[in-house]
Amino acid sequence: MSIEHAAARLAAAEHRRDLHARFAPVFARIAAESATREAERTLPFDQVEWLRETGFLAVQVPVEFGGLGATTVEFFELLIALAEADSNLPQLLRAHFTTVESWLVREPGERREFWLRQIAGGAMFGNATHERSAAAVGTYQTALSRENGRARLDGTKHYSTGSIYADWILVTATDAETGEQVSVTVAADAVGVDRRDDWDGFGQRLTGSGTTVFTDVTIDPEHIDVAHASTPSHITGFLELVLLASIAGVGRAALRDARDFVASRTRVYSQGVGTSAREDPLVQQVIGQISGLVFAAESAVLAAAAVVGEASDLAQLEAARGTATAPELTPESVRESTRAIRAAETAAVRAQLQVPDLVLRATTALFEVGGASATARERNLDRHWRNARVLSSHNPVIYQARALGDDLLNGDGLLFTWATGEGTPTTTT
């Protein structure tokens, strides 16, 4: 190893330690009342503000634009730690962090710099994509129309995760003039925007994944973009990893609470061989097994994050082609970018095929260490299984397993687009 290489690795390790040290106090503060918030369904508006104040919303943003410049792996390490504190927060920030990632890989220019600096200043994004309409798969009844030089948005969205906490909402719609799918950035407090807290899932109860209604909302033409959802990109893998990091964090929380529960127990079973629960070999075995499951889940997420990070770095280089300091675009670089995108999606899918199962096993094994007392409602330990189960229901594993098998056998199975609707499904690869 060269001196330069060693110095670079030491600097990277120091940056990673600084990031973890910066956010550890706020994560601990968030964790302190997380069980109570979930039990009482108290939405974490304060906790989102704490993250905003500490700069966590801009952790991915390059330092030159006012952010903290975290690498992809550093970012997902922090996301797992946040999910251990409260798994609702990484999921409700999923659209936000994906928006940041999308701007990072856009062509350098005034628009990119504007939004990255807005985010560095604390701006937060939410999501409004899915519909429960009778529209066909992959189409939207939410419409962008124009009249007398004014653009307007009308429609109803469901599962609008994070939008009740956000400053800006990313909305997918159909352009009434062209029939094209568009992505519209809407101010969350604009006239005609109605954000409703009506998410009723049995887990992840605080993500704000409810209904958003847009009625005659005036849209700035600068905030309208053609949607590129069907274009293969590492963003698909990034999106999946945010959910998987949230699930891995649930596993860490389950391990933490299992240890705390056993440490607090003074009563033992007559069949046990220890004078306390913590000294019982069978209880020790369960804690060890949970630890192994959680380690495997976290390791899978971070291994995939490294591959997604490589694709992200290449995408940023590709986006900068043509600028004064960027290298020229070559056929080889195009092939490398395509390879990296496919590798990122493959890694994310492989992680998805393992992480939910590992953590659901861990959150079930948790109840082996305490008998009926572990099920007391006041402990709220069942939230870990419920949260992991709901998180695992996104982009169902059964489809991902088939897609990966198809790709390995036939070379064309990876799924870069997810949509729901009525009629005959169409698959975009």
Side-chain angles (χ1 to χ4, degrees), residues 113-125:
E113 181 173 348
F114 171 80
W115 282 114
L116 289 178
R117 290 195 181 279
Q118 288 290 308
I119 293 163
M124 177 183 161
F125 286 80

Side-chain angles (χ1 to χ4, degrees), residues 21-38:
R22 179 187 183 110
F23 295 113
V26 72
F27 291 172
R29 189 180 177 194
I30 288 169
E33 300 295 331
S34 62
T36 301
R37 281 195 304 277
E38 202 274 351

Side-chain angles (χ1 to χ4, degrees), residues 99-249:
T99 300
V100 179
E101 182 69 18
S102 298
W103 279 111
L104 289 177
V105 299
R106 290 279 287 268
E107 180 180 351
E110 291 183 2
R111 252 192 112 199
R112 176 178 183 268
E113 181 173 348
F114 171 80
W115 282 114
L116 289 178
R117 290 195 181 279
Q118 288 290 308
I119 293 163
M124 177 183 161
F125 286 80
N127 150 75
T129 300
H130 296 286
E131 299 180 356
R132 292 179 184 164
S133 68
V137 174
T139 62
Y140 303 105
Q141 290 189 336
T142 298
L144 176 74
S145 58
R146 296 169 181 81
E147 185 177 352
N148 299 323
R150 171 178 173 262
R152 56 176 285 181
L153 185 72
D154 294 274
T156 300
K157 296 290 188 177
H158 301 273
Y159 311 118
S160 308
T161 303
S163 289
I164 62 174
Y165 305 97
D167 305 296
W168 297 92
I169 305 173
L170 295 176
V171 185
T172 51
T174 300
D175 190 316
E177 290 184 1
T178 66
E180 292 182 312
Q181 291 183 17
V182 292
S183 177
V184 183
T185 302
V186 182
D189 60 356
V191 176
V193 177
D194 180 12
R195 295 173 288 173
R196 302 173 183 174
D197 175 31
D198 55 6
W199 164 241
D200 65 351
F202 62 67
Q204 294 297 100
R205 301 173 66 224
L206 311 180
T207 58
S209 301
T211 303
T212 306
V213 180
F214 302 91
T215 305
D216 194 25
V217 181
T218 298
I219 302 298
D220 185 337
E222 290 292 319
H223 294 168
I224 302 170
D225 293 286
V226 175
H228 298 288
S230 62
T231 303
S233 165
H234 76 285
I235 297 293
T236 309
F238 182 93
L239 275 162
E240 190 57 58
L241 281 186
V242 173
L243 294 174
L244 296 181
S246 303
I247 296 171

Side-chain angles (χ1 to χ4, degrees), residues 16 20 72-81 241 244-245 248 252 295-309 347 351 355:
R16 175 179 175 273
H20 282 267
T72 302
V73 173
E74 288 170 342
F75 167 71
F76 280 106
E77 286 178 338
L78 291 167
L79 211 61
I80 292 171
L241 281 186
L244 296 181
R252 280 175 45 167
F295 174 79
E298 185 171 352
S299 297
V301 172
L302 296 180
V307 183
V308 171
V355 172

